Each structure stands twice: as structure tokens, then as C-alpha cells.
Amino acid sequence: MPFHENHTVLFDLDGTIVRSRDGIVESIYAVLRDLGHEPDMSIDLTWVVGPPLEELIAHILAHYGDDRVDEAMALYRKHYESEGMHKSPVFDHMRNVIETLSAEGVRLFVATSKPRHLARKILHLRNLVQYFDGLSGARADDSGAEKPELIAAVLREHDIRREDALMIGDRRFDISGAHANHVRALGVLWGYGTREELTQAGADALVSQPSELLDAIRQQFAAAEAHPHG
């Protein structure tokens, strides 16, 4: 089916458009060393891509018996902005997906728990910012990072009907945030959430690789038009 001018796609950023795990994890290790801890390399930190920063920092520090969350967050911002965010290449084929959607008239937005200014810098670094009509992200101090509110802000500020919108993300936060706004949600399996996590969150469909994403998006919009209140 062809797209129409009201079709709107909201993308998560980390784990959906860019492969950001290495830059995030390396920044966390640097924070731990700054605070006097030797990072425990036996712990898999893949899960840290997606949740709001304060939540994940508190969880990691607890493993080391440390509660200096505010100090750790400030250190993380310093390390991530100077080095970590530069280690976030675009997933193979995602540039083509974004360029194609834009060329076919689909409105594109980013809804990310990452601070808005950092998300915009990453899109600039990867020469993608020009394809997006808007960006919804956390404030500079990492507050306002909950996905339901971020998605709601895009819908409200850009006068988007929920039946014309589709959220795409790799974690349960993306799926539940979309559904809280009665928006369909595609779960992607090349990021940092598992098939089980996305299925349990109620993803409307799962996509295995970026090369399959355009077809999956078309199918979701077709389903929304066939069942407008589904």
C-alpha cells in the first residue's frame, strides 16, 4: 500500500536507529572508575540501553554498595558527551528505511529517553537530522524520560491522530509507551531487547532485521485502516 501524508512513524533512537551500546557501557565503566570502583566485567550491561538514566545508574551503583546517583549522572553526561555518543553507528539499512519513508511523505519523529540535545547531536553526527519533523526527548537533567509522556508530547504538539501513528523500538518501554497512547508499536530484534521482552510487552508485530522494516510498517498502517479502533 502507498503511504499517505498523515502517516507518522515515531522511532526510538538507541538500539533502533543507532548501535549505541558500546558508547553507553564504556561511559558507565568510566563513571564507576571515577567513583573508585573496578567495573565488574562479568555483568552483562546490554539491558542499560533504553531505561531512563537515573533508574539504570541507581541499579548499577547498588551492585557496588554506592548511592551517589546524582554525582554519577553528572559524570556520565560528561563522559558520554565527550566520547560515548560518537560510538553510535547507524544500523545497516536503517538509513535507507528513513530516507525512503521521508521521500514517500511519511512524517518522521524520534521519541527517546535520551536528553533531547544529545539525541539531536547524534542525528547530526550521522547526517539524519534533516529527515525528522521533530524530536521528543528527556530534559538536559535527564528528567522527563518516560516513554508514555514523550510519545504523548509528539502526538499533541504535532496534531497527530493516534490511528495515523506507529511507534518503532527495541525495548518494552517503547511498546508500553505507545500502547499507553493507543498507538500501534513494532518491536525490532536487532537492538537490545529480547523477543520475549517485546512479546510480553504486547508488540503488534516483531521485525527481525532492518531490511524487513518498510514492509512491516506498510502492513501496520494497512491493519490500522482495516481496523481503525483495533
Side-chain angles (χ1 to χ4, degrees), residues 107-124:
R107 300 173 76 191
L108 302 181
F109 296 86
V110 168
T112 175
S113 292
K114 184 180 252 60
R116 188 172 181 273
H117 73 285
L118 287 180
R120 184 170 292 281
K121 284 184 178 181
I122 288 171
L123 292 174
H124 269 295

Side-chain angles (χ1 to χ4, degrees), residues 18-43:
V18 296
R19 181 183 286 110
S20 51
R21 177 190 180 278
D22 289 353
I24 291 171
V25 171
E26 287 174 20
S27 298
I28 289 170
Y29 287 156
V31 169
L32 290 170
R33 293 188 181 100
D34 285 351
L35 294 176
H37 306 294
E38 184 55 39
D40 184 347
M41 299 297 184
S42 70
I43 299 174

Side-chain angles (χ1 to χ4, degrees), residues 4-196:
H4 65 64
E5 61 184 9
N6 291 330
H7 281 152
T8 302
V9 175
L10 288 74
F11 285 96
D12 171 49
L13 182 61
D14 296 322
T16 300
I17 295 176
V18 296
R19 181 183 286 110
S20 51
R21 177 190 180 278
D22 289 353
I24 291 171
V25 171
E26 287 174 20
S27 298
I28 289 170
Y29 287 156
V31 169
L32 290 170
R33 293 188 181 100
D34 285 351
L35 294 176
H37 306 294
E38 184 55 39
D40 184 347
M41 299 297 184
S42 70
I43 299 174
D44 181 8
L45 291 182
T46 297
W47 68 271
V48 303
V49 185
L53 181 62
E54 184 172 4
E55 175 185 319
L56 71 90
I57 289 284
H59 184 88
I60 292 169
L61 288 181
H63 176 76
Y64 298 88
D66 198 328
D67 62 1
R68 291 174 287 172
V69 177
D70 289 344
E71 183 179 350
M73 287 174 65
L75 289 167
Y76 176 87
R77 291 188 200 104
K78 181 189 73 172
H79 286 292
Y80 187 77
E81 195 152 358
S82 63
E83 295 182 36
M85 75 173 186
H86 297 275
K87 300 175 181 177
S88 52
V90 179
F91 283 105
D92 290 346
H93 203 72
M94 280 304 294
R95 183 178 302 278
N96 177 64
V97 169
I98 292 166
E99 290 176 349
T100 300
L101 290 171
S102 178
E104 294 194 23
V106 178
R107 300 173 76 191
L108 302 181
F109 296 86
V110 168
T112 175
S113 292
K114 184 180 252 60
R116 188 172 181 273
H117 73 285
L118 287 180
R120 184 170 292 281
K121 284 184 178 181
I122 288 171
L123 292 174
H124 269 295
L125 279 172
R126 303 305 167 204
N127 194 30
L128 289 173
V129 73
Q130 67 270 24
Y131 298 110
F132 290 92
D133 295 271
L135 193 160
S136 183
R139 290 181 279 275
D141 64 357
D142 291 280
S143 63
E146 300 298 330
K147 276 289 166 76
E149 287 74 21
L150 292 167
I151 294 169
V154 173
L155 300 179
R156 181 180 63 253
E157 292 167 13
H158 297 275
D159 197 25
I160 298 164
R161 300 189 311 163
R162 64 178 180 83
E163 56 266 37
D164 291 330
L166 174 66
M167 178 69 195
I168 299 173
D170 68 314
R171 298 298 309 275
R172 60 184 172 86
F173 312 99
D174 303 306
I175 309 303
S176 60
H179 288 170
N181 288 282
H182 308 288
V183 168
R184 287 175 176 264
L186 275 177
V188 303
L189 297 173
W190 55 84
Y192 305 113
T194 62
R195 179 181 293 271
E196 180 182 27

